[in-house]
Structure formats: structure tokens, C-alpha cells
């Protein structure tokens, strides 16, 4: 047991440091749910993007919801969009690709800043 303890401590520290740095290290969005992407993965340097864009409120993007209704108040940071948005959506729900496009592009349109063209996000 005594021998295992240092290994255990290292494992715990590693697990936590990975959690803490996950969005800091993010440079593109490429959820596994799509399988093989047909376009280059969209550029999104999470922390740098949000700093430049001046968006501090996590809920703006990490919104919650259930039973077909969006809840703009409940924060779901850390939960992948794909957990709630299916690649092949049921009728009346927003599919995964549309969820990203709507959220990203509508803010860029509204703020008059940020990329709108396919190749500016799906950079080759
Ligand atoms: C503001 C950024 C942005 C713009 C502009 C944008 N996309 Fe996307 N797109 C995304 C994100 C984010 C995803 C989900 C993650 C990924 O696929 O990289 C995505 C996913 C996709 C997917 C599904 C995943 C795949 O590669 O098969 C397709 C297809 C796609 N976009 C095509 C387009 C086309 C065509 C245009 C232009 C009409 C476009 N996108 C414009 C951000 C953007
Ligand atoms: C402009 C939109 C936006 C804002 C604002 C935003 N995020 Fe995110 N975040 C995303 C997207 C998109 C992803 C990728 C989600 C996915 O994989 O489906 C993500 C992923 C994450 C992840 C998971 C990282 C990983 O590698 O799995 C965490 C944790 C996270 N965000 C935390 C936060 C916190 C905390 C805030 C507020 C300080 C925040 N986010 C603000 C868009 C945003
Ligand atoms: C806890 C579940 C959950 C998570 C996580 C989640 N969503 Fe949603 N989202 C919903 C529900 C429920 C709706 C309403 C039904 C629908 O449109 O599918 C919705 C609706 C939307 C809509 C449509 C809004 C409209 O006005 O039509 C967009 C865009 C969207 N989500 C983007 C995202 C993005 C991008 C992420 C990840 C950063 C995300 N969602 C994460 C549950 C979720
Ligand atoms: C709440 C508003 C908002 C949302 C949501 C948003 N953006 Fe942006 N984005 C901006 C603004 C504002 C800028 C311009 C920042 C500047 O002044 O350079 C920007 C700039 C960018 C840029 C240019 C490079 C950079 O990092 O500044 C990329 C790429 C980008 N956004 C991708 C995305 C993607 C992909 C999503 C969806 C996952 C997204 N954005 C969601 C507001 C937003």
C-alpha cells in the first residue's frame, strides 16, 4: 500500500491538471460524434477567442436544456454540445452541425466581427 501511494498521488494530479487545462489547450473543435470530418476542423482557440471577443459569460455558449426546450440560464460548461445535439437530429430539434453554425455565426453577424465564410473557420 505504501508503495502505491506515490503512484496514486501522481495519477490524481495528472487527472486534475488535464481537467483544468482542457479548454485552455483547445485550438479546434472536432467532436468525435461526426466521425470523419468532411471539412478541416473549425479553428477555435477557446480562451483566446473569448478574451478577444470580450465574452465572459460561459452560459452564452454553454447553455442547458431538455425536453426540446433550450434553457439559456443553466450553465453546462464542460458538457460537449454533442451530448444534447445529435448529428442526425429528431424532427424539431437542432442538429449538431447546425447548433454550432447557428451559435457561432449568429454572434459574428450580430457583433459585426468574427468570420462568416466557410474557409475562415474551416481553415485548410
Ligand atoms: C464561425 C465558424 C464557422 C463557419 C463560418 C462555418 N462553419 Fe462549418 N462548422 C463550424 C463548427 C464549429 C463545426 C463543428 C466542428 C467541426 O466540424 O470542426 C462545423 C461543422 C461543419 C460541418 C460538419 C462536420 C464535417 O466536417 O463534416 C460541415 C459539413 C460544415 N461545418 C460546413 C460548413 C460550410 C459549407 C460553411 C460555409 C457555408 C461553414 N461550415 C461555415 C464552424 C463554422
Ligand atoms: C463563444 C462560445 C464559448 C464561450 C463563451 C465559452 N465556451 Fe467553453 N467551449 C465552447 C465550445 C464550442 C466548446 C467545445 C464543445 C464541444 O466539444 O462540443 C467548449 C469547450 C469547453 C470545455 C471542455 C473542453 C474540452 O477539451 O473538452 C470546458 C471545460 C469549457 N468549454 C469551459 C468554459 C468556461 C468555464 C467558460 C466561461 C469562462 C466557457 N467555456 C466559455 C464554447 C464556448
Ligand atoms: C444539456 C443539453 C444541451 C447542451 C449541453 C447544449 N444544448 Fe443547445 N439546445 C438544447 C436544447 C434542449 C435546445 C432546444 C431544442 C433544439 O433546438 O434542439 C437547444 C437549442 C440550441 C440551439 C438553437 C437555438 C435556436 O434559437 O433555435 C443552438 C444554436 C444550440 N442549442 C447550440 C448549442 C451549442 C453550440 C452547444 C455547445 C456549446 C449546445 N447547444 C449545448 C440542449 C443543449
Ligand atoms: C457571443 C459571441 C460569439 C460567439 C458565440 C462566437 N464568436 Fe467567434 N468571435 C466573436 C467576436 C466578437 C470576434 C472578433 C474578435 C476580434 O475583435 O478580433 C470573433 C472572432 C472569431 C475568430 C477569429 C479569430 C479569433 O480567435 O479571434 C474565429 C476563428 C471565431 N470567432 C470562431 C468562432 C467559432 C468556431 C464559434 C462557435 C464555436 C464562435 N466563434 C462563437 C464573437 C463570438
Amino acid at each position: 500500500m505504501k508503495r502505491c501511494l506515490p503512484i496514486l498521488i501522481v495519477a490524481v494530479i495528472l487527472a486534475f491538471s488535464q481537467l483544468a487545462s482542457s479548454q485552455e489547450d483547445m485550438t479546434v473543435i472536432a467532436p468525435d460524434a461526426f466521425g470523419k470530418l468532411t471539412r478541416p476542423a473549425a479553428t477555435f482557440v477557446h480562451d483566446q477567442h473569448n478574451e478577444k471577443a470580450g465574452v465572459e459569460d460561459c452560459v452564452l455558449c454553454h447553455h442547458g436544456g431538455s425536453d426540446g426546450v433550450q434553457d439559456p440560464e443553466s450553465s453546462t460548461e464542460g458538457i460537449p454540445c454533442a451530448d444534447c445535439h445529435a448529428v442526425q437530429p429528431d424532427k424539431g430539434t437542432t442538429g449538431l452541425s447546425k447548433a454550432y453554425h447557428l451559435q457561432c455565426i449568429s454572434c459574428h453577424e450580430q457583433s459585426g466581427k468574427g468570420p462568416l465564410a466557410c474557409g475562415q473557420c474551416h481553415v485548410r
Side-chain angles (χ1 to χ4, degrees):
M1 188 59 207
K2 258 190 189 156
R3 275 211 207 141
C4 294
L5 207 57
I7 297 171
L8 199 72
I9 291 169
V10 169
V12 168
I13 291 172
L14 271 180
F16 271 101
S17 60
Q18 243 161 1
L19 263 184
S21 64
S22 52
Q23 86 264 30
E24 286 160 31
D25 295 342
M26 193 174 153
T27 56
V28 292
I29 305 174
D32 293 337
F34 285 122
K36 199 174 177 294
L37 297 175
T38 57
R39 299 241 161 194
T43 306
F44 187 68
V45 188
H46 191 282
D47 286 7
Q48 185 191 294
H49 172 277
N50 296 342
E51 211 173 291
K52 266 211 245 164
V55 280
E56 275 156 29
D57 195 354
C58 313
V59 174
L60 265 178
C61 299
H62 296 288
H63 76 88
S66 61
D67 300 331
V69 183
Q70 187 178 19
D71 182 354
E73 312 263 299
S74 79
S75 184
T76 57
E77 66 205 48
I79 301 178
C81 313
D83 277 18
C84 299
H85 293 281
V87 175
Q88 305 289 349
D90 290 337
K91 215 175 155 219
T93 66
T94 309
L96 186 59
S97 168
K98 197 174 171 198
Y100 287 116
H101 284 156
L102 269 178
Q103 184 173 89
C104 309
I105 295 169
S106 60
C107 180
H108 293 167
E109 272 171 352
Q110 274 164 28
S111 55
K113 281 183 192 161
L116 302 174
C118 317
Q120 290 176 297
C121 284
H122 300 285
V123 185
R124 279 189 199 281

